[in-house]
Short mmCIF file of all heavy atoms in Angstrom, two decimals:
data_model
loop_
_atom_site.label_atom_id
_atom_site.label_comp_id
_atom_site.label_asym_id
_atom_site.label_seq_id
_atom_site.Cartn_x
_atom_site.Cartn_y
_atom_site.Cartn_z
N MET A 1 -23.50 6.56 0.61
CA MET A 1 -22.19 6.12 1.05
C MET A 1 -21.50 7.23 1.85
O MET A 1 -20.59 6.93 2.63
CB MET A 1 -21.36 5.72 -0.16
CG MET A 1 -20.19 4.85 0.20
SD MET A 1 -19.67 3.79 -1.14
CE MET A 1 -18.08 4.44 -1.48
N ALA A 2 -21.91 8.46 1.70
CA ALA A 2 -21.30 9.57 2.43
C ALA A 2 -21.39 9.37 3.93
O ALA A 2 -20.42 9.63 4.65
CB ALA A 2 -21.92 10.89 2.02
N SER A 3 -22.52 8.89 4.40
CA SER A 3 -22.66 8.68 5.84
C SER A 3 -21.73 7.57 6.34
O SER A 3 -21.25 7.62 7.46
CB SER A 3 -24.11 8.38 6.22
OG SER A 3 -24.54 7.17 5.62
N ALA A 4 -21.45 6.60 5.48
CA ALA A 4 -20.52 5.53 5.86
C ALA A 4 -19.10 6.08 6.02
O ALA A 4 -18.36 5.63 6.89
CB ALA A 4 -20.56 4.41 4.82
N PHE A 5 -18.74 7.06 5.19
CA PHE A 5 -17.43 7.70 5.35
C PHE A 5 -17.37 8.48 6.66
O PHE A 5 -16.33 8.50 7.32
CB PHE A 5 -17.11 8.63 4.18
CG PHE A 5 -16.71 7.90 2.92
CD1 PHE A 5 -17.45 8.04 1.77
CD2 PHE A 5 -15.59 7.09 2.89
CE1 PHE A 5 -17.09 7.39 0.60
CE2 PHE A 5 -15.22 6.42 1.74
CZ PHE A 5 -15.98 6.57 0.59
N VAL A 6 -18.47 9.09 7.03
CA VAL A 6 -18.52 9.83 8.31
C VAL A 6 -18.31 8.87 9.47
O VAL A 6 -17.55 9.15 10.40
CB VAL A 6 -19.85 10.61 8.44
CG1 VAL A 6 -19.99 11.20 9.83
CG2 VAL A 6 -19.95 11.69 7.38
N VAL A 7 -18.97 7.72 9.41
CA VAL A 7 -18.83 6.71 10.47
C VAL A 7 -17.38 6.23 10.53
O VAL A 7 -16.79 6.15 11.61
CB VAL A 7 -19.80 5.53 10.23
CG1 VAL A 7 -19.49 4.37 11.17
CG2 VAL A 7 -21.24 5.98 10.38
N PHE A 8 -16.81 5.93 9.38
CA PHE A 8 -15.42 5.46 9.34
C PHE A 8 -14.48 6.53 9.92
O PHE A 8 -13.65 6.23 10.79
CB PHE A 8 -15.01 5.13 7.91
CG PHE A 8 -13.56 4.72 7.80
CD1 PHE A 8 -13.19 3.41 8.02
CD2 PHE A 8 -12.58 5.65 7.51
CE1 PHE A 8 -11.85 3.02 7.95
CE2 PHE A 8 -11.24 5.28 7.43
CZ PHE A 8 -10.88 3.96 7.66
N ALA A 9 -14.61 7.76 9.45
CA ALA A 9 -13.74 8.84 9.91
C ALA A 9 -13.87 9.06 11.41
O ALA A 9 -12.88 9.28 12.10
CB ALA A 9 -14.06 10.13 9.15
N SER A 10 -15.08 8.97 11.90
CA SER A 10 -15.32 9.15 13.33
C SER A 10 -14.71 8.01 14.14
O SER A 10 -14.05 8.24 15.16
CB SER A 10 -16.82 9.24 13.59
OG SER A 10 -17.08 9.31 14.95
N ARG A 11 -14.91 6.80 13.68
CA ARG A 11 -14.41 5.62 14.40
C ARG A 11 -12.89 5.61 14.48
O ARG A 11 -12.31 5.20 15.49
CB ARG A 11 -14.92 4.35 13.73
CG ARG A 11 -14.46 3.09 14.46
CD ARG A 11 -15.24 1.90 14.02
NE ARG A 11 -16.60 2.09 14.52
CZ ARG A 11 -17.56 1.21 14.37
NH1 ARG A 11 -17.34 0.08 13.76
NH2 ARG A 11 -18.77 1.44 14.83
N TYR A 12 -12.22 6.05 13.40
CA TYR A 12 -10.76 5.98 13.36
C TYR A 12 -10.09 7.34 13.48
O TYR A 12 -8.90 7.48 13.16
CB TYR A 12 -10.32 5.24 12.08
CG TYR A 12 -10.75 3.80 12.13
CD1 TYR A 12 -11.85 3.36 11.42
CD2 TYR A 12 -10.10 2.90 12.96
CE1 TYR A 12 -12.27 2.04 11.49
CE2 TYR A 12 -10.50 1.58 13.05
CZ TYR A 12 -11.59 1.16 12.31
OH TYR A 12 -12.01 -0.15 12.40
N ASN A 13 -10.84 8.31 13.97
CA ASN A 13 -10.29 9.65 14.27
C ASN A 13 -9.58 10.30 13.09
O ASN A 13 -8.49 10.86 13.24
CB ASN A 13 -9.36 9.59 15.48
CG ASN A 13 -10.08 9.13 16.73
OD1 ASN A 13 -11.17 9.59 17.01
ND2 ASN A 13 -9.47 8.21 17.45
N VAL A 14 -10.20 10.21 11.93
CA VAL A 14 -9.69 10.92 10.76
C VAL A 14 -10.27 12.33 10.83
O VAL A 14 -11.49 12.51 10.85
CB VAL A 14 -10.10 10.24 9.44
CG1 VAL A 14 -9.62 11.04 8.24
CG2 VAL A 14 -9.57 8.81 9.39
N ALA A 15 -9.41 13.32 10.91
CA ALA A 15 -9.85 14.70 11.06
C ALA A 15 -10.68 15.14 9.86
O ALA A 15 -10.48 14.66 8.73
CB ALA A 15 -8.63 15.62 11.20
N VAL A 16 -11.60 16.05 10.11
CA VAL A 16 -12.48 16.55 9.06
C VAL A 16 -11.67 17.07 7.88
O VAL A 16 -11.99 16.81 6.73
CB VAL A 16 -13.42 17.64 9.62
CG1 VAL A 16 -14.20 18.32 8.52
CG2 VAL A 16 -14.35 17.06 10.67
N GLU A 17 -10.59 17.79 8.18
CA GLU A 17 -9.79 18.37 7.10
C GLU A 17 -9.00 17.32 6.31
O GLU A 17 -8.48 17.62 5.24
CB GLU A 17 -8.85 19.47 7.62
CG GLU A 17 -7.84 19.01 8.64
CD GLU A 17 -8.32 19.13 10.08
OE1 GLU A 17 -9.51 19.36 10.33
OE2 GLU A 17 -7.46 18.97 10.98
N ASP A 18 -8.93 16.10 6.82
CA ASP A 18 -8.25 15.02 6.11
C ASP A 18 -9.22 14.05 5.44
O ASP A 18 -8.83 13.28 4.56
CB ASP A 18 -7.37 14.22 7.07
CG ASP A 18 -6.24 15.03 7.66
OD1 ASP A 18 -5.90 16.09 7.09
OD2 ASP A 18 -5.71 14.63 8.71
N ALA A 19 -10.47 14.10 5.82
CA ALA A 19 -11.46 13.12 5.35
C ALA A 19 -11.78 13.24 3.87
O ALA A 19 -12.31 12.29 3.28
CB ALA A 19 -12.74 13.23 6.18
N TYR A 20 -11.44 14.35 3.26
CA TYR A 20 -11.74 14.52 1.83
C TYR A 20 -11.05 13.49 0.95
O TYR A 20 -11.48 13.22 -0.17
CB TYR A 20 -11.38 15.94 1.37
CG TYR A 20 -9.91 16.18 1.19
CD1 TYR A 20 -9.30 16.03 -0.05
CD2 TYR A 20 -9.11 16.53 2.27
CE1 TYR A 20 -7.94 16.24 -0.22
CE2 TYR A 20 -7.76 16.75 2.12
CZ TYR A 20 -7.19 16.59 0.88
OH TYR A 20 -5.83 16.79 0.73
N VAL A 21 -9.98 12.87 1.43
CA VAL A 21 -9.26 11.89 0.63
C VAL A 21 -9.89 10.50 0.70
O VAL A 21 -9.53 9.63 -0.10
CB VAL A 21 -7.76 11.79 1.04
CG1 VAL A 21 -7.08 13.14 0.94
CG2 VAL A 21 -7.59 11.20 2.41
N LEU A 22 -10.80 10.28 1.62
CA LEU A 22 -11.36 8.94 1.82
C LEU A 22 -12.02 8.34 0.58
O LEU A 22 -11.75 7.18 0.26
CB LEU A 22 -12.32 8.92 3.01
CG LEU A 22 -11.66 9.10 4.38
CD1 LEU A 22 -12.72 9.19 5.47
CD2 LEU A 22 -10.69 7.97 4.67
N PRO A 23 -12.90 9.06 -0.13
CA PRO A 23 -13.54 8.42 -1.30
C PRO A 23 -12.53 7.92 -2.33
O PRO A 23 -12.63 6.77 -2.79
CB PRO A 23 -14.44 9.53 -1.87
CG PRO A 23 -14.74 10.39 -0.69
CD PRO A 23 -13.48 10.38 0.13
N ALA A 24 -11.56 8.74 -2.68
CA ALA A 24 -10.56 8.31 -3.68
C ALA A 24 -9.69 7.19 -3.13
O ALA A 24 -9.36 6.24 -3.85
CB ALA A 24 -9.70 9.49 -4.10
N LEU A 25 -9.32 7.28 -1.86
CA LEU A 25 -8.50 6.25 -1.25
C LEU A 25 -9.21 4.89 -1.28
O LEU A 25 -8.62 3.88 -1.66
CB LEU A 25 -8.16 6.62 0.20
CG LEU A 25 -7.38 5.58 0.99
CD1 LEU A 25 -5.95 5.48 0.48
CD2 LEU A 25 -7.40 5.91 2.47
N PHE A 26 -10.46 4.88 -0.90
CA PHE A 26 -11.21 3.63 -0.91
C PHE A 26 -11.46 3.12 -2.33
O PHE A 26 -11.41 1.91 -2.57
CB PHE A 26 -12.53 3.77 -0.14
CG PHE A 26 -12.35 3.53 1.33
CD1 PHE A 26 -12.03 4.57 2.19
CD2 PHE A 26 -12.46 2.27 1.87
CE1 PHE A 26 -11.83 4.36 3.54
CE2 PHE A 26 -12.28 2.03 3.22
CZ PHE A 26 -11.96 3.08 4.06
N GLU A 27 -11.71 4.01 -3.27
CA GLU A 27 -11.93 3.60 -4.65
C GLU A 27 -10.68 2.95 -5.23
O GLU A 27 -10.75 1.87 -5.81
CB GLU A 27 -12.34 4.82 -5.50
CG GLU A 27 -12.80 4.46 -6.88
CD GLU A 27 -14.04 3.60 -6.93
OE1 GLU A 27 -14.98 3.85 -6.16
OE2 GLU A 27 -14.08 2.63 -7.73
N ARG A 28 -9.53 3.59 -5.06
CA ARG A 28 -8.29 3.05 -5.61
C ARG A 28 -7.88 1.76 -4.91
O ARG A 28 -7.42 0.81 -5.55
CB ARG A 28 -7.17 4.08 -5.49
CG ARG A 28 -7.44 5.29 -6.37
CD ARG A 28 -6.31 6.22 -6.39
NE ARG A 28 -5.52 5.87 -7.58
CZ ARG A 28 -4.32 6.34 -7.82
NH1 ARG A 28 -3.74 7.14 -6.96
NH2 ARG A 28 -3.68 6.00 -8.91
N THR A 29 -8.03 1.71 -3.60
CA THR A 29 -7.67 0.51 -2.85
C THR A 29 -8.59 -0.64 -3.23
O THR A 29 -8.13 -1.77 -3.42
CB THR A 29 -7.72 0.78 -1.34
OG1 THR A 29 -6.89 1.89 -1.03
CG2 THR A 29 -7.27 -0.43 -0.55
N ALA A 30 -9.86 -0.37 -3.36
CA ALA A 30 -10.84 -1.41 -3.72
C ALA A 30 -10.52 -1.99 -5.10
O ALA A 30 -10.60 -3.21 -5.30
CB ALA A 30 -12.25 -0.84 -3.69
N GLN A 31 -10.14 -1.15 -6.04
CA GLN A 31 -9.77 -1.63 -7.37
C GLN A 31 -8.57 -2.57 -7.29
O GLN A 31 -8.53 -3.60 -7.96
CB GLN A 31 -9.43 -0.46 -8.29
CG GLN A 31 -10.63 0.34 -8.72
CD GLN A 31 -10.24 1.58 -9.51
OE1 GLN A 31 -9.04 1.91 -9.65
NE2 GLN A 31 -11.23 2.29 -10.01
N LYS A 32 -7.61 -2.22 -6.44
CA LYS A 32 -6.40 -3.04 -6.33
C LYS A 32 -6.66 -4.41 -5.71
O LYS A 32 -5.97 -5.37 -6.04
CB LYS A 32 -5.33 -2.30 -5.54
CG LYS A 32 -4.76 -1.13 -6.29
CD LYS A 32 -3.58 -0.53 -5.55
CE LYS A 32 -3.06 0.67 -6.29
NZ LYS A 32 -2.15 0.33 -7.36
N VAL A 33 -7.66 -4.48 -4.82
CA VAL A 33 -7.94 -5.77 -4.17
C VAL A 33 -9.15 -6.48 -4.75
O VAL A 33 -9.55 -7.53 -4.26
CB VAL A 33 -8.08 -5.61 -2.63
CG1 VAL A 33 -6.80 -5.11 -2.01
CG2 VAL A 33 -9.26 -4.72 -2.28
N GLY A 34 -9.75 -5.92 -5.79
CA GLY A 34 -10.86 -6.58 -6.47
C GLY A 34 -12.17 -6.56 -5.69
O GLY A 34 -12.92 -7.53 -5.73
N MET A 35 -12.43 -5.48 -5.00
CA MET A 35 -13.67 -5.32 -4.24
C MET A 35 -14.34 -4.03 -4.69
O MET A 35 -13.71 -3.19 -5.32
CB MET A 35 -13.39 -5.18 -2.73
CG MET A 35 -12.75 -6.35 -2.07
SD MET A 35 -12.36 -6.01 -0.33
CE MET A 35 -13.97 -6.13 0.41
N SER A 36 -15.60 -3.89 -4.31
CA SER A 36 -16.24 -2.60 -4.52
C SER A 36 -15.80 -1.67 -3.39
O SER A 36 -15.44 -2.13 -2.30
CB SER A 36 -17.77 -2.74 -4.53
OG SER A 36 -18.24 -3.04 -3.22
N ALA A 37 -15.84 -0.39 -3.65
CA ALA A 37 -15.44 0.59 -2.62
C ALA A 37 -16.36 0.49 -1.41
O ALA A 37 -15.91 0.58 -0.27
CB ALA A 37 -15.45 1.99 -3.20
N SER A 38 -17.66 0.27 -1.64
CA SER A 38 -18.59 0.18 -0.52
C SER A 38 -18.34 -1.06 0.32
O SER A 38 -18.44 -1.02 1.55
CB SER A 38 -20.04 0.24 -1.00
OG SER A 38 -20.31 -0.83 -1.87
N ALA A 39 -17.98 -2.17 -0.32
CA ALA A 39 -17.66 -3.39 0.44
C ALA A 39 -16.40 -3.20 1.27
O ALA A 39 -16.33 -3.62 2.43
CB ALA A 39 -17.51 -4.58 -0.51
N LEU A 40 -15.40 -2.56 0.68
CA LEU A 40 -14.16 -2.30 1.41
C LEU A 40 -14.41 -1.35 2.58
O LEU A 40 -13.89 -1.56 3.68
CB LEU A 40 -13.10 -1.71 0.47
CG LEU A 40 -11.75 -1.38 1.11
CD1 LEU A 40 -11.10 -2.63 1.71
CD2 LEU A 40 -10.83 -0.73 0.09
N LEU A 41 -15.22 -0.33 2.35
CA LEU A 41 -15.54 0.61 3.42
C LEU A 41 -16.25 -0.10 4.57
O LEU A 41 -15.93 0.11 5.74
CB LEU A 41 -16.41 1.74 2.87
CG LEU A 41 -16.87 2.82 3.85
CD1 LEU A 41 -15.70 3.44 4.59
CD2 LEU A 41 -17.67 3.87 3.11
N SER A 42 -17.20 -0.97 4.26
CA SER A 42 -17.89 -1.72 5.31
C SER A 42 -16.93 -2.59 6.09
O SER A 42 -16.96 -2.63 7.32
CB SER A 42 -18.98 -2.62 4.70
OG SER A 42 -20.05 -1.86 4.28
N ARG A 43 -16.07 -3.29 5.36
CA ARG A 43 -15.12 -4.17 6.03
C ARG A 43 -14.14 -3.38 6.89
O ARG A 43 -13.87 -3.75 8.04
CB ARG A 43 -14.37 -4.99 4.99
CG ARG A 43 -13.45 -5.98 5.61
CD ARG A 43 -12.93 -6.94 4.60
NE ARG A 43 -12.04 -7.87 5.24
CZ ARG A 43 -11.50 -8.90 4.63
NH1 ARG A 43 -11.77 -9.14 3.37
NH2 ARG A 43 -10.70 -9.69 5.27
N ALA A 44 -13.62 -2.28 6.36
CA ALA A 44 -12.64 -1.48 7.09
C ALA A 44 -13.25 -0.82 8.32
O ALA A 44 -12.56 -0.60 9.31
CB ALA A 44 -12.04 -0.43 6.17
N THR A 45 -14.53 -0.51 8.27
CA THR A 45 -15.18 0.13 9.40
C THR A 45 -15.20 -0.80 10.61
O THR A 45 -15.06 -0.35 11.75
CB THR A 45 -16.61 0.56 9.02
OG1 THR A 45 -16.52 1.52 7.96
CG2 THR A 45 -17.34 1.19 10.19
N PHE A 46 -15.32 -2.11 10.37
CA PHE A 46 -15.45 -3.05 11.47
C PHE A 46 -14.22 -3.92 11.70
O PHE A 46 -14.14 -4.62 12.71
CB PHE A 46 -16.70 -3.92 11.26
CG PHE A 46 -17.94 -3.09 11.25
CD1 PHE A 46 -18.59 -2.79 10.07
CD2 PHE A 46 -18.43 -2.54 12.43
CE1 PHE A 46 -19.72 -2.00 10.06
CE2 PHE A 46 -19.56 -1.74 12.43
CZ PHE A 46 -20.21 -1.46 11.24
N ASP A 47 -13.25 -3.88 10.80
CA ASP A 47 -11.99 -4.61 10.97
C ASP A 47 -10.96 -3.59 11.44
O ASP A 47 -10.45 -2.79 10.66
CB ASP A 47 -11.58 -5.24 9.64
CG ASP A 47 -10.27 -6.01 9.70
OD1 ASP A 47 -9.40 -5.68 10.54
OD2 ASP A 47 -10.10 -6.92 8.87
N CYS A 48 -10.65 -3.62 12.71
CA CYS A 48 -9.79 -2.59 13.32
C CYS A 48 -8.43 -2.47 12.65
O CYS A 48 -7.96 -1.35 12.41
CB CYS A 48 -9.63 -2.85 14.81
SG CYS A 48 -11.14 -2.58 15.73
N ALA A 49 -7.80 -3.56 12.34
CA ALA A 49 -6.47 -3.50 11.73
C ALA A 49 -6.55 -2.84 10.35
O ALA A 49 -5.74 -1.95 10.04
CB ALA A 49 -5.87 -4.90 11.62
N LEU A 50 -7.51 -3.24 9.55
CA LEU A 50 -7.67 -2.65 8.23
C LEU A 50 -8.10 -1.19 8.34
O LEU A 50 -7.58 -0.33 7.62
CB LEU A 50 -8.70 -3.45 7.42
CG LEU A 50 -9.01 -2.95 6.01
CD1 LEU A 50 -7.75 -2.92 5.15
CD2 LEU A 50 -10.08 -3.84 5.38
N GLY A 51 -9.01 -0.91 9.24
CA GLY A 51 -9.48 0.46 9.42
C GLY A 51 -8.36 1.39 9.85
O GLY A 51 -8.23 2.50 9.32
N GLU A 52 -7.55 0.96 10.80
CA GLU A 52 -6.42 1.79 11.26
C GLU A 52 -5.41 2.01 10.14
O GLU A 52 -4.89 3.11 9.97
CB GLU A 52 -5.72 1.15 12.47
CG GLU A 52 -6.51 1.22 13.75
CD GLU A 52 -6.64 2.64 14.30
OE1 GLU A 52 -5.89 3.55 13.89
OE2 GLU A 52 -7.53 2.84 15.14
N TYR A 53 -5.16 0.97 9.36
CA TYR A 53 -4.23 1.08 8.26
C TYR A 53 -4.72 2.12 7.24
O TYR A 53 -3.97 3.00 6.82
CB TYR A 53 -4.03 -0.28 7.58
CG TYR A 53 -3.18 -0.19 6.34
CD1 TYR A 53 -1.80 -0.07 6.44
CD2 TYR A 53 -3.76 -0.21 5.08
CE1 TYR A 53 -1.01 0.04 5.30
CE2 TYR A 53 -2.98 -0.11 3.93
CZ TYR A 53 -1.61 0.02 4.05
OH TYR A 53 -0.84 0.13 2.92
N LEU A 54 -5.99 2.01 6.84
CA LEU A 54 -6.52 2.93 5.84
C LEU A 54 -6.67 4.35 6.39
O LEU A 54 -6.45 5.33 5.67
CB LEU A 54 -7.84 2.41 5.28
CG LEU A 54 -7.68 1.16 4.40
CD1 LEU A 54 -9.03 0.56 4.06
CD2 LEU A 54 -6.91 1.49 3.13
N ALA A 55 -7.00 4.48 7.66
CA ALA A 55 -7.08 5.81 8.27
C ALA A 55 -5.70 6.46 8.28
O ALA A 55 -5.55 7.66 7.99
CB ALA A 55 -7.64 5.70 9.69
N ASP A 56 -4.67 5.68 8.59
CA ASP A 56 -3.30 6.21 8.57
C ASP A 56 -2.91 6.61 7.15
O ASP A 56 -2.27 7.65 6.95
CB ASP A 56 -2.34 5.17 9.13
CG ASP A 56 -0.96 5.73 9.36
OD1 ASP A 56 -0.84 6.82 9.97
OD2 ASP A 56 0.02 5.09 8.93
N CYS A 57 -3.30 5.81 6.17
CA CYS A 57 -3.03 6.16 4.77
C CYS A 57 -3.71 7.48 4.42
O CYS A 57 -3.12 8.33 3.75
CB CYS A 57 -3.52 5.06 3.83
SG CYS A 57 -2.55 3.55 3.88
N ALA A 58 -4.95 7.65 4.85
CA ALA A 58 -5.69 8.89 4.56
C ALA A 58 -4.96 10.09 5.16
O ALA A 58 -4.83 11.13 4.50
CB ALA A 58 -7.11 8.79 5.11
N ARG A 59 -4.50 9.95 6.38
CA ARG A 59 -3.77 11.05 7.02
C ARG A 59 -2.49 11.40 6.25
O ARG A 59 -2.15 12.57 6.06
CB ARG A 59 -3.43 10.69 8.46
CG ARG A 59 -4.64 10.65 9.37
CD ARG A 59 -4.22 10.34 10.82
NE ARG A 59 -5.36 9.84 11.54
CZ ARG A 59 -5.62 8.56 11.77
NH1 ARG A 59 -4.79 7.62 11.36
NH2 ARG A 59 -6.71 8.20 12.43
N LYS A 60 -1.78 10.38 5.81
CA LYS A 60 -0.53 10.59 5.07
C LYS A 60 -0.78 11.25 3.72
O LYS A 60 -0.05 12.15 3.32
CB LYS A 60 0.22 9.27 4.89
CG LYS A 60 0.82 8.75 6.18
CD LYS A 60 1.49 7.42 5.98
CE LYS A 60 2.06 6.91 7.30
NZ LYS A 60 2.63 5.56 7.15
N VAL A 61 -1.81 10.80 3.01
CA VAL A 61 -2.15 11.40 1.72
C VAL A 61 -2.55 12.85 1.89
O VAL A 61 -2.10 13.73 1.15
CB VAL A 61 -3.26 10.59 1.01
CG1 VAL A 61 -3.81 11.34 -0.20
CG2 VAL A 61 -2.76 9.22 0.61
N ALA A 62 -3.38 13.12 2.88
CA ALA A 62 -3.81 14.51 3.13
C ALA A 62 -2.61 15.39 3.51
O ALA A 62 -2.50 16.52 3.03
CB ALA A 62 -4.88 14.54 4.23
N ALA A 63 -1.71 14.87 4.32
CA ALA A 63 -0.52 15.64 4.70
C ALA A 63 0.36 15.90 3.48
O ALA A 63 0.90 17.00 3.34
CB ALA A 63 0.27 14.89 5.78
N SER A 64 0.47 14.93 2.62
CA SER A 64 1.26 15.10 1.40
C SER A 64 0.63 16.15 0.50
O SER A 64 1.34 16.99 -0.08
CB SER A 64 1.36 13.75 0.68
OG SER A 64 2.04 13.88 -0.54
N ASP A 65 -0.69 16.13 0.38
CA ASP A 65 -1.40 17.15 -0.40
C ASP A 65 -1.14 18.55 0.16
O ASP A 65 -0.87 19.48 -0.59
CB ASP A 65 -2.91 16.90 -0.40
CG ASP A 65 -3.33 15.83 -1.38
OD1 ASP A 65 -2.49 15.34 -2.15
OD2 ASP A 65 -4.54 15.50 -1.37
N LYS A 66 -1.23 18.67 1.47
CA LYS A 66 -1.02 19.97 2.11
C LYS A 66 0.41 20.46 1.91
O LYS A 66 0.64 21.65 1.69
CB LYS A 66 -1.35 19.89 3.59
CG LYS A 66 -2.83 19.68 3.87
CD LYS A 66 -3.08 19.42 5.34
CE LYS A 66 -4.50 18.96 5.56
NZ LYS A 66 -4.72 18.47 6.91
N ALA A 67 1.36 19.55 1.98
CA ALA A 67 2.76 19.92 1.81
C ALA A 67 3.05 20.36 0.37
O ALA A 67 3.94 21.19 0.15
CB ALA A 67 3.67 18.75 2.18
N ALA A 68 2.31 19.81 -0.58
CA ALA A 68 2.52 20.14 -1.99
C ALA A 68 1.97 21.52 -2.34
O ALA A 68 2.33 22.08 -3.38
CB ALA A 68 1.88 19.09 -2.87
N LEU A 69 1.12 22.06 -1.48
CA LEU A 69 0.55 23.38 -1.77
C LEU A 69 1.48 24.45 -1.46
O LEU A 69 2.19 25.08 -1.31
CB LEU A 69 -0.73 23.60 -0.98
CG LEU A 69 -1.86 22.67 -1.33
CD1 LEU A 69 -3.06 22.92 -0.40
CD2 LEU A 69 -2.30 22.87 -2.77
#
């Protein structure tokens, strides 16, 4: 699944330093919508609206983490 995160991050321009949040973000989001994380990742990779939304969430979470340090 790691390579799928690389594809997602590359497609939606998630910076390397922000990509560390992707596994947890997809896991928590998948639980909330009743999907597996891998299914959500596949869908988000090819659904531009969903992918952009989750990429933006990843950036915001990473920025929040950095600000908390």
Side-chain angles (χ1 to χ4, degrees):
M1 199 154 114
S3 63
F5 284 120
V6 172
V7 170
F8 177 86
S10 176
R11 181 165 292 183
Y12 293 103
N13 299 315
V14 177
V16 172
E17 61 270 11
D18 296 341
Y20 75 94
V21 304
L22 290 175
L25 176 71
F26 274 89
E27 189 63 42
R28 294 186 95 191
T29 305
Q31 288 174 354
K32 290 187 182 277
V33 297
M35 297 176 76
S36 70
S38 60
L40 179 60
L41 179 55
S42 287
R43 184 169 179 175
T45 298
F46 298 104
D47 179 332
C48 291
L50 179 59
E52 287 292 343
Y53 174 77
L54 290 171
D56 190 48
C57 289
R59 290 183 201 99
K60 288 177 181 176
V61 169
S64 177
D65 280 355
K66 292 173 191 169
L69 296 176

